[in-house]
Amino acid sequence: MNELFRTLPKLLKELSDNEDVREAIVFATWKKIAGEALSEQTAPKQLLGRRLTVAVTGDMWKKHLESLSGQMIFKINSMLGQAIVTFIEFQVDENLVVKNRQKRIEKISNNLLSDENAMYQISPSLQKSADAILDESLRKQFLLAAGSCLVRKESLGKQKLIYGR
């Protein structure tokens, strides 16, 4: 994930005239600098020019974050390598924050289910082959990728049976 964030400044320079891309990059950067705890209380809402609007769950969070906005602007712009955001407006919008939180939870749940389904497909012989990979993280990525391919292959086989294609 950190490698992805290192590419954002270059991507931003290439696509700086595309407002949707700029907004998506700034939103991702906000989530990164906000961290897990703060992301539970906030949700990026809009980037209009160089003004970032962020929804917060209540007045207390609004006041607290307004006092930290200078630091947050600095962190965002430092990560992006240029002054993309010059002002952050905090608005109380608990509904948006809750929706954003639910999306994050659903995504995490779906990823866990996908990983579980992928690992279920791993045969003993494939596991034995993977055991030759010494790097534990790389071995896990290999098994998840192989298992995901097997899940997809099984899914495509079921579609052929259903649709006759």
Side-chain angles (χ1 to χ4, degrees):
M1 188 62 109
N2 288 331
E3 291 173 23
L4 175 65
F5 277 97
R6 282 194 287 266
T7 65
L8 290 181
K10 291 178 187 173
L11 183 63
L12 200 52
K13 285 179 184 174
E14 293 287 322
L15 302 168
S16 63
D17 58 334
N18 187 321
E19 290 293 319
D20 292 334
V21 170
R22 283 182 42 181
E23 184 176 75
I25 290 172
V26 169
F27 282 15
T29 305
W30 169 264
K31 291 173 187 172
K32 174 81 173 167
I33 67 142
E36 187 82 25
L38 196 52
S39 290
E40 289 293 313
Q41 305 300 324
T42 65
K45 191 172 184 176
Q46 181 183 34
L47 178 67
L48 195 57
R50 296 182 183 277
R51 179 187 201 97
L52 174 62
T53 304
V54 176
V56 296
T57 54
D59 284 321
M60 184 183 76
W61 280 105
K62 180 180 182 210
K63 289 176 186 171
H64 178 66
L65 291 173
E66 284 172 344
S67 70
L68 299 174
S69 66
Q71 294 173 27
M72 300 178 116
I73 291 168
F74 177 79
K75 286 181 180 182
I76 290 170
N77 291 333
S78 293
M79 278 188 91
L80 298 177
Q82 55 186 299
I84 299 297
V85 176
T86 56
F87 186 80
I88 302 176
E89 176 186 2
F90 296 97
Q91 295 178 349
V92 176
D93 187 346
E94 189 169 358
N95 290 334
L96 180 64
V97 176
V98 169
K99 285 179 188 176
N100 200 36
R101 190 181 304 149
Q102 288 171 336
K103 284 181 189 176
R104 236 181 9 262
I105 290 168
E106 286 175 21
K107 185 176 179 182
I108 290 168
S109 296
N110 289 339
N111 287 343
L112 289 173
L113 285 174
S114 294
D115 287 356
E116 188 176 311
N117 288 339
M119 294 307 280
Y120 183 73
Q121 294 295 320
I122 303 301
S123 67
S125 63
L126 185 57
Q127 180 67 54
K128 185 177 179 185
S129 297
D131 288 342
I133 301 171
L134 299 178
D135 183 309
E136 186 176 333
S137 176
L138 185 59
R139 180 174 50 249
K140 182 178 178 185
Q141 291 296 323
F142 168 77
L143 288 170
L144 285 172
S148 294
C149 287
L150 293 169
V151 167
R152 179 158 170 72
K153 183 179 177 183
E154 183 179 296
S155 173
L156 290 173
K158 288 178 182 176
Q159 286 179 1
K160 285 181 182 180
L161 287 174
I162 293 170
Y163 298 112
R165 297 180 191 167

